[in-house]
Amino acid sequence: MTTLRNRAAGWHRPLMLLVSAMAVLTVVAAVGVVADPRVLTGAPIWLKPLKFAISFVVYGVTLAWMLSLLPRRSRAAERAATVIVAVSVVEMVVIVGQVLRGTTSHFNGTTTLDALLFDVMGVAITVLFAAQFVLAVVLARRSLPDRAGGYAVRLGLAVSLLGMLVAFPMVAQRPAGAPAGISGAHSVGVPDGGPGLPLLGWSTTGGDLRVGHFVGMHALQALPLLAILLDRFLGARLDELTRARLVLVGGVAYAGLTLLLTGQALRGQPLLAPDARTLAAAGVLVVATATATTLVLARRGRPTGVVLVG
């Protein structure tokens, strides 16, 4: 643990400052959820800043760790990460500012100021997407010490970009019953703010585009975790190439899951009420993933460095 803390101290400073600031905001927003009785779109008014603050803590730590894996420094990657920090701060300033004003930050065009702030958020997330794309390109072109870990990092960045893209249809949603001046929605087929899953708030009566967005974004953590688990528990039985291929299979399956959940939401279908078409697509994804995994394992070689005595 001490070694990890020492390594983290040398990680990308702007990202780690963002993580520290968002950790403080997490505490403030958590207090707000408990102490502030105001409700907005069916949820405590401080819940959105809380969720975004936690998300940026995880996001910032993950990107800083990924940058630390580069065998040598990359100015392009570090500048892109600094841009990500800047636009993330802009995003959070708008979100918290709108909470203090007692109104929504997303899809809000009810006044000139609200519309301007939402436009600023739109520009910020577009710049963030472009900056992460630069990070993905840099990491794709640099060789990392562990092949499976390298696949996990690159695929994690790529699938998380997909997770960002599947959120863009939110702006085009026009659910019946939405207040005047609202220019988008998380939900499909039902107004935002209706019955939802605990804490997450995902709609239980209609589709919700936040599901695919959430799953896709967290490929940043899920795929590196897969590589770590493969190394930790199967490193002595599987060679490096086999583990890398399994990570590749996992990355493709994860992207497929992101698209599947987004398609389900776009059809106005709640996450916990899949129809036959969704179940069939999920079955195909499971079978394809299992088949690919079996083929990879069938072709596995011996781990390097193992000496056989006989």
Side-chain angles (χ1 to χ4, degrees), residues 40-219:
L40 194 63
T41 60
I45 197 168
W46 282 96
L47 185 59
K48 183 182 288 290
L50 176 62
K51 292 193 291 187
F52 270 76
I54 294 172
S55 178
F56 275 122
V57 167
V58 177
Y59 182 64
V61 168
T62 304
L63 291 186
W65 168 73
M66 288 181 172
L67 284 175
S68 75
L69 299 177
L70 288 170
R72 61 184 184 277
R73 293 183 61 181
S74 166
R75 290 185 179 180
E78 291 181 355
R79 288 171 180 170
T82 301
V83 169
I84 288 174
V85 171
V87 295
S88 299
V89 170
V90 170
E91 186 94 355
M92 290 308 301
V93 166
V94 174
I95 290 173
V96 173
Q98 290 293 73
V99 166
L100 295 175
R101 294 180 64 229
T103 188
T104 57
S105 51
H106 288 70
F107 318 124
N108 190 351
T110 53
T111 69
T112 301
L113 176 59
D114 292 326
L116 175 62
L117 291 173
F118 183 50
D119 288 343
V120 167
M121 294 178 70
V123 172
I125 195 62
T126 302
V127 173
L128 188 149
F129 179 91
Q132 184 174 315
F133 181 81
V134 171
L135 280 181
V137 171
V138 170
L139 283 160
R141 296 177 63 184
R142 300 287 182 91
S143 59
L144 299 180
D146 176 64
R147 185 181 298 185
Y151 275 31
V153 167
R154 295 169 188 133
L155 286 167
L157 284 164
V159 179
S160 68
L161 287 172
L162 174 64
M164 291 185 196
L165 285 175
V166 299
F168 278 90
M170 294 180 188
V171 181
Q173 298 304 311
R174 296 293 184 274
I182 299 301
S183 57
H186 299 120
S187 303
V188 179
V190 294
D192 279 352
L197 295 176
L199 297 178
L200 296 170
W202 298 339
S203 177
T204 55
T205 57
D208 200 311
L209 290 164
R210 289 174 294 185
V211 181
H213 176 57
F214 177 90
V215 170
M217 285 294 297
H218 284 288

